[in-house]
Amino acid sequence: MKRALSIWFPMLPIDLSRRRRSRELSPPDSEGCLLLISTSARGQIVSHCCPLAAQHGVRPGLNITQARAILPPTLHVRIEPHDPARDARALSALSVVAQSLSPITSAEAPDGILADVSGCARVFGGEEGLVRAAISRFTDLGFHVRAAIAPTYGCAQAVVCCGRSRIVPDGAQRQALYPLPIRALRLDPGTEEALREVGLDTIGQVMAIPRSVLPARFGEEL
């Protein structure tokens, strides 16, 4: 019986920057917010932001001037460059840590780990124990993390990226996937926008369309 574990780090770049900054003995994050910036033809663009910044309306894609204008002037703003190569190295290292849960793991760029946990759950007292162990391993290292187990990697990834750590029983994939938003499919932005334009907002709505129709209308990826 195949069982797949998906571990998701929703704040991987932010967590890495906080860990680095804590080693430099700087003020704690509670005193302000953190923005990670990339440079493009449009100037300095927000690549990632901490939850506090997001609460004030900052989102990836804004330029730094827009982000600063949104944030309260009394709030301390820390700005650091985003380093995708460092993210990739960290994710590869974290996939090695995950081998304490399963001997078969792989980094799933940009922010996840997949593992074949078939037959592994009994070591942890069942799949609930395995999910708790996965979360604990990486929380103890200072990361925000979610985990899910399902019969397929795709189902586990979709469930976990929608904000829940959970277990999907065998045969319950469709039930688990139907209500999820289409962002859980992790499609390219163009395909996702094309689906929304015709009123398709959930995976269930997409699955109701005959498979043969999808490539012609939305491309091979879907």
Side-chain angles (χ1 to χ4, degrees), residues 46-49 53-54 57-63 66-67 70:
V46 176
S47 294
H48 299 274
C49 63
V58 177
R59 66 183 187 279
L62 291 180
N63 65 46
Q66 291 172 315
I70 289 172

Side-chain angles (χ1 to χ4, degrees), residues 3 10-11 17 44 57 88-89 91 95 100 108 150 156 189 195 207:
R3 300 295 283 167
M11 293 176 56
S17 294
Q44 290 189 312
R89 291 192 299 270
L91 192 61
S95 71
S100 63
E108 183 72 5
L195 290 168
M207 292 173 71

